[in-house]
Amino acid sequence: MARTSETTSAKDDTKKRGKRNADGTKKPGRLKQMFEVFKYTQEVDRSTLPLMILAIVGAIAVGVLLTVLIFDSPWYGIFMGLAVGVLIAMIILARKAERAAFDRIKGQTGAALAAMQSIRRGWNVEDEPVQIDPRSQKMLFRASGRAGIAVVAEDSTGISMKLLEKERRSIRRVLQHDNVPVHQIVVGDGEGEVPLHKLPTYMQRMKKQLTKQESAQVTKRLNALHRSLRQQVPKGVDPMRARPNRKAMRGR
């Protein structure tokens, strides 16, 4: 009996720990999380609430109209329209919340990688930058899939363009043939650029030009090319803060 009690109490403790954050604070419930998401999204985009209400009212109106014409009763339409309207409202909230999240990180280093990692399937996204300029901290990110290879720059500055060309040459040396398309994508709001919040959709809509086997082979070869930036410098050296030894440069 004692062992059973100890086992039960251990399970209860595990469940309690599972409902808390790493710092020991209690995790908010699902409804509270949704309310917080809605509150933040509404602050960023004031059209969120009106569109959600319009979706619910419009769905109910259409449902009532259909059921009156078919069943000569509005009640079925009210319940069906309410269910459909709430579903559409949640979809609107999700899209608006995603847009608000992208607007929040827009302009920050690594924002493009965060957008790429939100793609659920179809692309293998590298977790680290594949090219970086230590002086300006400009970075490139890469993904591979059936549409080919996508190399993403976070702006259209001259440094980013040089990094794009450098990465393209590196990829060509590894692949050694030209039938794999390499897409150079620049994130931004200018002409020919892709806005940050549209980057996942833009990449998902790219035409598939490789088979699954070819895509897997390309990913395998790119893994040979990919080397962590941290492994390219001695341990304990931060490439972001590295400075030349001026005394050594003067021969002292």
Side-chain angles (χ1 to χ4, degrees):
M1 294 293 292
R3 290 181 179 178
T4 304
S5 300
E6 291 176 359
T7 304
T8 303
S9 61
K11 289 181 179 179
D12 293 340
D13 292 340
T14 303
K15 290 181 179 179
K16 290 179 180 179
R17 286 196 298 270
K19 294 180 179 180
R20 293 182 178 275
N21 296 315
D23 57 359
T25 58
K26 187 177 179 181
K27 289 184 178 180
R30 184 66 60 83
L31 292 177
K32 188 175 181 180
Q33 289 178 355
M34 291 180 62
F35 178 75
E36 290 176 353
V37 170
F38 166 76
K39 185 178 179 181
Y40 171 74
T41 306
Q42 177 63 17
E43 290 177 355
V44 175
D45 189 346
R46 295 290 181 180
S47 66
T48 303
L49 181 59
L51 287 175
M52 293 176 67
I53 294 175
L54 181 62
I56 295 174
V57 173
I60 292 176
V62 173
V64 169
L65 179 62
L66 291 176
T67 52
V68 167
L69 295 175
I70 298 173
F71 301 106
D72 197 24
S73 175
W75 299 109
Y76 293 109
I78 292 176
F79 293 114
M80 291 176 60
L82 180 61
V84 174
V86 170
L87 177 61
I88 297 175
M90 291 298 101
I91 294 175
I92 292 173
L93 177 60
R95 293 295 179 87
K96 292 284 189 179
E98 185 179 36
R99 173 71 179 270
F102 285 141
D103 287 344
R104 184 177 184 179
I105 63 175
K106 184 177 180 180
Q108 298 181 17
T109 302
L113 178 61
M116 294 166 67
Q117 289 177 335
S118 69
I119 302 174
R120 294 177 177 83
R121 59 182 179 179
W123 289 93
N124 297 309
V125 181
E126 297 284 353
D127 294 330
E128 297 180 358
V130 293
Q131 293 287 345
I132 183 171
D133 180 70
R135 188 180 185 86
S136 63
Q137 298 186 19
K138 301 293 184 183
M139 298 180 183
L140 290 189
F141 305 97
R142 188 180 65 210
S144 59
R146 293 188 60 187
I149 301 170
V151 185
V152 181
E154 296 190 300
D155 54 46
S156 58
T157 59
I159 295 175
S160 295
M161 295 300 102
K162 290 180 180 179
L163 291 177
L164 278 174
E165 181 59 25
K166 181 180 178 181
E167 180 63 16
R168 187 190 67 80
R169 291 196 302 265
S170 299
I171 292 172
R172 286 301 175 208
R173 283 197 301 267
V174 172
L175 295 181
Q176 297 178 351
H177 50 74
D178 297 327
N179 62 341
V180 178
V182 178
H183 307 280
Q184 295 179 325
I185 304 173
V186 178
V187 175
D189 298 321
E191 185 178 355
E193 299 175 351
V194 181
L196 181 64
H197 68 278
K198 292 184 178 180
L199 180 61
T201 304
Y202 178 84
M203 292 179 62
Q204 285 179 311
R205 290 180 178 177
M206 285 183 177
K207 183 180 178 181
K208 296 180 176 62
Q209 302 185 44
L210 304 177
T211 64
K212 290 183 179 180
Q213 291 76 14
E214 290 173 340
S215 176
Q217 185 65 24
V218 168
T219 301
K220 187 176 180 179
R221 291 190 179 185
L222 288 178
N223 289 337
L225 171 65
H226 174 67
R227 292 178 298 172
S228 172
L229 294 175
R230 291 293 179 185
Q231 295 176 354
Q232 297 180 26
V233 294
K235 291 184 178 180
V237 177
D238 189 344
M240 301 296 186
R241 299 179 180 179
R243 294 291 185 273
N245 188 331
R246 300 189 182 279
K247 289 184 178 180
M249 293 173 63
R250 291 194 294 266
R252 296 181 181 180

